[in-house]
Amino acid sequence: MRLSFSLPLLCALFALMGIGCEKSGSHTHKGPHIAYITNGNASFWTIAKIGAEAAGNNLGVTVSVHMPAEGIADQKRIVEDLLTRGVDGIAISVIDANNQTGFLNDTALHTKLITHDADAPASTRLAYVGMDNYQAGRMLGAMIKRTMPDGGSLAIVVGRVEQDNARKRRQGVIDEVLDRSFDPTRYDAPGQEISNGSYTFVVTLTDQFDRVKAKANCEDALLRYPSLTAIVGLFAYNTPLCLEALKQAGKLGSVKLYSFDEADETLQGIKDGHVVGTVVQNPYEYGLQSVTLLKELIAGNSAAVPQSKFVDIPARTIERSNVDEFWLDLKKKTTP
C-alpha cells in the first residue's frame, strides 16, 4: 500500500528527527521563505542577489532569487510556483505595470508583496524599494547639459518603455535636457523627434532585453543619424553593447555615451574617457532592504513601511572624478 504525506506533515516529521525542511530556495536557513524576483538577467541583478542573500544570512531567513529569462510569462510562472509552495513574502521588479497590476493584486492576497527597482504604483503592493527614477533621469539630463553645452542630437536605447522605471528615466532625461518643468506624469511617446531647438532626441530604440538587438540598435542609430552627438543607455547592458558598436564604427569618443547603472564595462569606459558618466542605483541595497522589509512585514511589523510606501535608495552620479572610489566600494561589497 502506498502512503502519501502532505508537505506540512513531512516537515513536522523531519523536525522531530532534527532535520530542517525549507519551502523553496537555494539556502538552508530556518524561518520564513522570501523570494526576490528580478525582471531579467543582467550584471545589475547579480549585485542585487548578493545583497538579498546577505540579508537572508544576517536575518536567518530563506532567500531564493529568481531571474526570469522570458519576460512576463516567465515571471508569472515563477510567482505561481512560489505561491503553490507557500512563500511568505515576494519582492518583484515589475516588467509592465499596466498589464500586471491585476496579477499583482491577486498575488498580494496570498503573500506579503512589495516591488523593487520597477514599481506598479496602482497595485496593492505594500511598498516600493528603489530610487525615484524620474529624478534620476533628470540627474543624467543635468550631466548631459553640462557636458554638451552647445546642444546636439541624441538617441536613447533601452530594453522596453513599458516598465515604470524605464519610462520615468527616459522622461526625466528628456524633460531636464529640454528645460521642462518637473512633472513625473508627463510622457512623450517613442516614435517622434523631441526638440527645443538646441537639443533633439531623434529616436528611442527598444530591444526587449535581446542583447543582439540591443547592439544592433546602437549600430542602427549611428548609421541613420551620421551627425549623432550622443547615445543614452537606460539599462545596465545597453552601454557596454554601445561601446562595442562605437569601437567597431571607429567613433569612440566622437559620439558621447551616457549611461545608467554600474556594469564593469561602463565603469571602465568612464575611466578610459569613452563614457561621460552614469547614474547608478544601489542594487546591493535593493536586495538587502527588500528582504529586510519583508522579514519585518512577515513578523507583523507593518510600521516598518514608510507612510509614503516608498523606501528611497538615492541615485548617484559617477564620472571620471569619483569612479575609482565607487568601483572599489562596489568590489568590496560583491567579492566573496
Side-chain angles (χ1 to χ4, degrees), residues 47 55 96 140 196 201 261:
I47 300 169
D96 185 340
L140 189 62
N196 68 351
F201 290 90
D261 298 329

Side-chain angles (χ1 to χ4, degrees), residues 37-41 66-72 74-75 77-78 95:
I37 305 174
T38 74
N39 58 32
N41 193 339
H66 308 265
M67 300 187 186
E70 299 176 6
I72 291 177
D74 202 12
Q75 217 179 45
R77 177 191 59 77
I78 290 168
I95 293 174

Side-chain angles (χ1 to χ4, degrees), residues 237-265:
Y237 61 87
N238 287 124
T239 297
L241 294 169
C242 284
L243 278 169
E244 292 180 16
L246 287 169
K247 183 177 181 179
Q248 292 171 3
K251 293 189 176 182
L252 274 178
S254 62
V255 175
K256 295 182 183 295
L257 191 53
Y258 299 89
S259 182
F260 267 89
D261 298 329
E262 55 276 75
D264 285 350
E265 299 91 338

Side-chain angles (χ1 to χ4, degrees), residues 50-296:
I50 294 170
E53 291 176 343
N57 289 329
N58 293 337
L59 299 172
V61 299
T62 297
V63 174
S64 60
V65 179
H66 308 265
M67 300 187 186
E70 299 176 6
I72 291 177
D74 202 12
Q75 217 179 45
K76 184 173 185 288
R77 177 191 59 77
I78 290 168
V79 170
E80 290 173 342
D81 181 62
L82 288 164
L83 293 176
T84 298
R85 294 171 179 269
V87 68
D88 298 290
I90 292 176
I92 186 168
S93 179
V94 181
I95 293 174
D96 185 340
N98 290 333
N99 289 322
Q100 287 182 281
T101 293
F103 174 68
L104 293 170
N105 290 345
D106 290 341
T107 300
L109 296 174
H110 303 287
T111 191
K112 302 296 184 184
L113 179 70
I114 66 172
T115 57
H116 65 91
D117 176 60
D119 193 18
S123 72
T124 54
R125 53 84 172 132
L126 297 172
Y128 163 61
V129 177
M131 70 178 183
D132 183 328
N133 281 281
Y134 180 76
Q135 177 60 42
R138 296 199 75 122
M139 289 169 63
L140 189 62
M143 183 193 300
I144 291 170
K145 288 194 296 183
R146 174 167 50 80
T147 55
M148 287 176 50
D150 298 326
S153 57
L154 306 96
I156 294 176
V157 291
V158 62
R160 49 188 163 228
V161 293
E162 293 85 0
Q163 287 183 204
D164 184 74
N165 59 346
R167 182 182 62 80
K168 289 182 176 176
R169 285 181 203 177
R170 174 180 175 272
Q171 198 63 50
V173 169
I174 293 169
D175 287 355
E176 180 64 30
V177 169
L178 301 186
D179 293 320
R180 292 172 167 177
S181 62
F182 193 97
D183 182 4
T185 66
R186 186 184 290 117
Y187 181 60
D188 290 292
Q192 57 183 339
E193 284 195 358
I194 311 164
S195 179
N196 68 351
S198 296
Y199 299 93
T200 301
F201 290 90
V202 295
V203 69
T204 295
L205 299 172
T206 61
D207 55 65
Q208 303 301 318
F209 287 109
D210 182 333
R211 301 310 198 262
V212 174
K213 183 171 176 55
K215 182 180 177 183
N217 281 344
C218 295
E219 296 168 339
D220 182 51
L222 294 172
L223 288 172
R224 288 168 58 187
Y225 306 97
S227 61
L228 193 67
T229 310
I231 299 176
V232 182
L234 298 188
F235 282 175
Y237 61 87
N238 287 124
T239 297
L241 294 169
C242 284
L243 278 169
E244 292 180 16
L246 287 169
K247 183 177 181 179
Q248 292 171 3
K251 293 189 176 182
L252 274 178
S254 62
V255 175
K256 295 182 183 295
L257 191 53
Y258 299 89
S259 182
F260 267 89
D261 298 329
E262 55 276 75
D264 285 350
E265 299 91 338
T266 297
L267 299 178
Q268 188 62 52
I270 294 173
K271 286 173 63 69
D272 295 339
H274 299 146
V275 178
V276 178
T278 186
V279 171
V280 297
Q281 304 177 77
N282 195 331
Y284 182 89
E285 285 295 319
Y286 283 14
L288 188 81
Q289 297 300 332
S290 293
V291 172
T292 300
L293 178 57
L294 280 171
K295 172 64 161 53
E296 290 296 315

